[in-house]
Amino acid sequence: MPIAGKGILITAMNVDPDHEVEFNLWYDREHIAERVAIDGFVEARRYQAVDANPKYFATYTTSSFEDLSSPAYKTALANQTVWSKTNLARAQDMIRVVGRITASKGQGRGGALAVIRLRPDLAQATEWRHKLEALLDPGTVDGVISMHLIESDPDLSVSLTEPDKPNPGASDWFVLVEGTHLPAVTELAEARFVGMGLQVISTGSYQLLWDLAKSEL
């Protein structure tokens, strides 16, 4: 599988321009490495929007789905640094998804990313899962490297700063399309996953800023 592991944490957020420089410095100098260092975490990738909202998008993959509710992860969340608490409080329009990597096809990871957020009828989850999995193979499409299906866990996909806030999208699914050329991933995402009968909540395109693997710590 192109994505290593079985679990994934997706976060997306905006930040006030007045705090953006410090927010990015914190993210790049402390937050990413701190999360990747947690037992079970494999890598993190950080993106910036080309045509999407929120502006910043990140993925953190784990060896197993259970690593995203492990004692090690809970300990890390309970012991945030002052710098982390300050900048997490500055995040706006926050999206936090704890999910399972249901399928991952292709070879390698790309610097261009298209994100499709879907809201399936969970009574037909098996049927839709099979349909989506069949569309994930990039084949010989130029500029597309790999594609992945992520299924959110409704119990774990809660805000860390507002855990009691209702989240109607806690069970949403995400399709990630990665490639070498942004037009290629956005065109394929539109052609394969929009208009197939599933409710599309949002689409967006992002460019990779940087990534960090456990082996690099």
Side-chain angles (χ1 to χ4, degrees):
M1 291 172 57
I3 294 186
K6 297 292 186 181
I8 188 167
L9 170 66
I10 295 174
T11 61
M13 72 285 292
N14 291 314
V15 63
D16 190 302
D18 290 342
H19 300 299
E20 199 161 9
V21 171
E22 184 185 356
F23 180 84
N24 283 319
L25 186 63
W26 161 74
Y27 222 109
D28 294 345
R29 293 294 182 268
E30 178 178 280
H31 186 63
I32 291 284
E34 186 178 64
R35 288 293 181 263
V36 174
I38 298 171
D39 288 347
F41 277 63
V42 177
E43 67 169 7
R45 293 167 68 85
R46 189 175 185 225
Y47 302 83
Q48 183 169 314
V50 176
D51 183 13
N53 185 44
K55 180 176 181 178
Y56 295 107
F57 186 91
T59 62
Y60 310 79
T61 54
T62 58
S63 296
S64 71
F65 174 73
E66 289 72 25
D67 289 320
L68 291 165
S69 57
S70 70
Y73 183 43
K74 291 178 180 178
T75 297
L77 293 179
N79 291 276
Q80 308 269 17
T81 68
V82 172
W83 203 19
S84 287
K85 291 177 181 178
T86 299
N87 282 285
L88 284 170
R90 291 170 173 167
Q92 301 172 354
D93 310 311
M94 183 75 175
I95 296 170
R96 181 177 180 271
V97 174
V98 175
R100 292 174 172 83
I101 304 170
T102 303
S104 181
K105 297 184 179 181
Q107 187 174 33
R109 310 292 299 279
L113 177 72
V115 180
I116 307 97
R117 183 172 184 168
L118 304 168
R119 188 160 297 168
D121 178 354
L122 295 181
Q124 298 177 305
T126 299
E127 177 184 349
W128 280 114
R129 187 178 299 118
H130 290 328
K131 288 181 178 180
L132 289 167
E133 285 180 4
L135 297 173
L136 293 180
D137 188 348
T140 58
V141 178
D142 183 44
V144 178
I145 298 297
S146 57
M147 291 185 274
H148 327 286
L149 174 61
I150 311 302
E151 298 183 28
S152 305
D153 182 280
D155 295 324
L156 297 179
S157 297
V158 296
S159 168
L160 295 180
T161 55
E162 299 176 288
D164 297 324
K165 183 178 180 180
N167 181 7
S171 297
D172 287 352
W173 293 4
F174 291 75
V175 173
L176 309 182
V177 181
E178 301 195 55
T180 57
H181 305 302
L182 204 59
V185 299
T186 55
E187 288 170 14
L188 184 143
E190 285 283 335
R192 290 198 188 180
F193 302 105
V194 176
M196 63 179 296
L198 279 171
Q199 183 181 0
V200 177
I201 302 302
S202 64
T203 63
S205 59
Y206 291 86
Q207 198 72 41
L208 180 69
L209 293 174
W210 71 291
D211 57 26
L212 182 69
K214 178 84 81 178
S215 60
E216 297 175 276
L217 293 178

